[in-house]
Amino acid sequence: MSQPAPDVRQEVSQLRAELDDANYRYYVLDEPTLSDADYDRKFQRLKTLEDENPALVTPDSPTQRVGAAPADGFPEVAHAIPMLSLDNAFSREDIHAFAERVAERLEKEADDIEFSCEPKLDGAAVSLVYEQGVLVSGATRGDGRTGEGITSNLRTLGSVPLKLMGENVPELLEVRGEVIMRHAGFEALNERAREEGSKVFANPRNAAAGSLRQLDPRITAKRPLEFHAYQAARLEPDLGDTTHSALMARLTTLGFRTSAELTTMKGPKAVADYCEQLGEKRDQLGYDIDGVVIKVNDLRHQRELGFVARAPRWAVAFKFPAQEEVTTLNEVEFQVGRTGAITPVARLEPVTVAGVTVANATLHNADEITRLGVMIGDTVAIRRAGDVIPQVVRVDTDKRPVDARPITFPDHCPVCGSQIERLDDEAVARCSGGLYCAAQRKEALKHFASRKALDIDGLGEKLIEQLVDLDWVKTPADLFHLTVEQLQSLPRMGEKSSRNLVNALDNAKSTTLARFIYALGIREVGEATASNLANHFGTLQALQDADQAGLEAVNDVGPVVAAHLYTFFRQPHNLETLQALIDAGITWQEAEVTQGPTPLDGQTWVLTGTLESMTRDEGKARLQALGAKVSGSVSKKTACLVAGEAAGSKLTKAEQMGVDVIDEATFIDRLAEWEQR
């Protein structure tokens, strides 16, 4: 193959630079400099030169946005850093509470903390990875840890730079953001669909997500999609930006579109005012947003604050009030959940709420029905809570028909006929059938087999429902006695899939204590709490034997969760289930539990300032292992305060109250002494 002449190389390079600049000004800055005719002429010239000189074609050329051939499917892509969800705020009070939590951990005043705020775009979250300035991969959020590789589709978006701009380009950059479709583009897309007799999308979010998951990138290329960056998840080397807002400005110079509404301010009052102001002009933006993302602006503070199980501590999503529509409540049915909770579900005359057709809505419980004063046949207002879960929020009693009927809670479970019980201090009514209730068995088994529990590959919802309906599985332990011959007799279960499931069940027998505790489905015991329980007690027997005071000594376990745990481990049928699982071969590595009192039993400690030899979380874990409670505030009950570098108000308060204060060196020496006992 002959090498292109130098003048051809130069012309190709010049055309690419001009087209990249035109794309940046059009898609990112909204300041087009080339007419459509000039752009098309330069584009066609570049394409002609590349067709004549294939050696010059590179993945970052503007001509490569047109879309490749259809794919057979999307590969799985593991995110190097999980794409976590955000905790929600729904009021000014929630914003103030978030700011106070942040301030306490940073040992600052809430009014002195700077926050960045920007619209929470309602689209499809994606991640883009660049190496040496060139786009190498793009993926959907998926479940937060694993997404779908849609690089070919993302290449077709004009707002996704194929090559980073400027001279100070990082070696590695992972940018996260939202792909959206503006209202005008959405309406035009649906109008074309109506004319062609093809699928009409319910809302811009669905249109964006559906467009990104087209197996033929040429279809994606025709859709009016935009990528808006909101985070740099990885950046190597660090370019010196110390705030989120500065980092977003940096992304703009590299070729990304960021939110024009992004601003920074100090204190929760200013943040709450911004949220209200943005909510007032929500309908004028030309694209869908469902709230405001509030972040601690200082990146150093973000790192110090860290994460909880599913979300960062340094950010929260303020959710706007959901849109409402009016419809008729035709009937009420009662569903039984995994814990036996009886939930009344309103069957509605279908209505579109926030772009989604709603035919069912939750009424939560008997108290909520009484509060609403709702009856069957009423005209009701429906809202999608957090723009997701439909619920009945208001009744128009003026429109009540003469044949309206009261909603009567059943006395017996609609699934198994067991008596329904309601404790005096609980709003929720529950079926007393436990694992004998088929509805509870199904939901309990789904939870037991889920990824974060026993992670039984191949045991899906439909198969669980079949196994329960056939009465083959009454408790989780029965799963481990299923045979290949049994499973083969089920529809769509051949020998290979049956054997794979039996092998998956066998593999699931080897687990961890934390996963096992979580898999039991104890009320309000999530993944993080299960991990804390396992780390604290070390053995299942120790956990079973603990009284409520002992349970409340565990980090993040309060009186309510402790009561649920204490009750669970004193029910004969639960103990029978645990023994059956152990007899079926479930095992995990148990830690040795130190006999006798630990050195810091009953003491409350406080850590403040920066520790050089360990993080505060590591110090907290070591104190808890020695029996101490670790608090975030100083009080009369505080036994000792460890003062690291730049200790602030907590140190002052401890000294005023006469609390014992030690420095890091003394703390290290004492830990070593106690841990050797």
Side-chain angles (χ1 to χ4, degrees), residues 554-669:
V554 180
N555 187 32
D556 291 335
V557 174
V560 173
V561 177
H564 291 325
L565 285 160
Y566 185 81
T567 300
F568 179 89
F569 287 114
R570 276 146 190 84
Q571 301 302 309
H573 65 270
N574 290 334
L575 297 179
E576 291 171 7
T577 298
L578 291 175
Q579 189 58 52
L581 285 166
I582 293 169
D583 292 344
I586 300 289
T587 60
W588 57 84
Q589 187 68 41
E590 291 192 334
E592 289 293 329
V593 179
T594 304
Q595 298 298 317
T598 49
L600 303 182
D601 268 350
Q603 296 186 21
T604 299
W605 283 57
V606 175
L607 298 167
T608 187
T610 302
L611 302 179
E612 293 182 359
S613 60
M614 68 184 78
T615 66
R616 292 226 301 251
D617 283 343
E618 289 170 342
K620 179 178 179 179
R622 292 175 71 176
L623 284 169
Q624 288 175 334
L626 292 164
K629 279 190 175 183
V630 181
S631 174
S633 58
V634 177
S635 70
K636 293 181 180 179
K637 294 182 179 179
T638 303
C640 186
L641 179 136
V642 179
E645 184 181 351
S649 59
K650 292 179 185 177
L651 173 59
T652 302
K653 186 175 181 180
E655 290 172 339
Q656 291 173 346
M657 298 180 68
V659 171
D660 186 22
V661 176
I662 60 175
D663 60 16
E664 182 175 357
T666 305
F667 179 52
I668 297 296
D669 290 342

Side-chain angles (χ1 to χ4, degrees), residues 41-230:
R41 185 165 56 252
K42 292 178 182 293
F43 186 93
Q44 288 304 320
R45 174 59 180 163
L46 175 61
K47 192 170 188 314
T48 297
L49 291 174
E50 289 182 346
D51 288 343
E52 293 172 353
N53 300 275
L56 292 178
V57 179
T58 60
D60 58 333
S61 172
T63 62
Q64 301 307 296
R65 293 191 187 277
V66 295
D72 293 330
F74 299 117
E76 283 193 353
V77 174
H79 297 298
I81 300 174
M83 295 182 71
L84 300 177
S85 303
L86 296 178
D87 288 332
N88 291 330
F90 297 96
S91 65
R92 293 182 73 95
E93 290 76 14
D94 289 346
I95 293 172
H96 279 265
F98 163 70
E100 291 296 337
R101 290 195 300 272
V102 167
E104 182 179 359
R105 284 187 171 273
L106 295 178
E107 298 183 354
K108 292 179 174 290
E109 294 296 323
D111 289 338
D112 294 334
I113 298 173
E114 187 176 65
F115 297 91
S116 72
C117 297
E118 61 189 295
K120 185 176 182 296
L121 301 175
D122 196 11
V126 300
S127 173
L128 305 170
V129 177
Y130 293 80
E131 294 177 359
Q132 307 302 324
V134 177
L135 176 66
V136 295
S137 70
T140 64
R141 180 184 183 277
D143 64 3
R145 298 185 180 276
T146 304
E148 293 179 311
I150 55 168
T151 310
S152 296
N153 289 356
L154 289 168
R155 285 182 182 278
T156 70
L157 276 62
S159 48
V160 171
L162 302 179
K163 183 178 182 180
L164 300 181
M165 302 180 63
E167 297 179 356
N168 196 10
V169 173
E171 296 176 7
L172 172 67
L173 175 66
E174 181 180 355
V175 174
R176 290 172 179 176
E178 202 87 358
V179 173
I180 67 167
M181 188 177 291
R182 291 180 180 268
H183 295 160
F186 171 72
E187 294 300 335
L189 176 65
N190 270 352
E191 186 59 31
R192 287 197 303 271
R194 293 185 191 100
E195 293 173 358
E196 298 167 358
S198 56
K199 177 184 177 182
V200 175
F201 288 98
N203 54 54
R205 179 182 63 244
N206 288 358
S211 298
L212 286 177
R213 299 193 71 257
Q214 293 291 324
L215 293 176
D216 187 348
R218 292 169 295 191
I219 297 176
T220 306
K222 296 176 182 178
R223 302 282 172 82
L225 301 171
E226 293 178 7
F227 174 75
H228 292 243
Y230 59 63

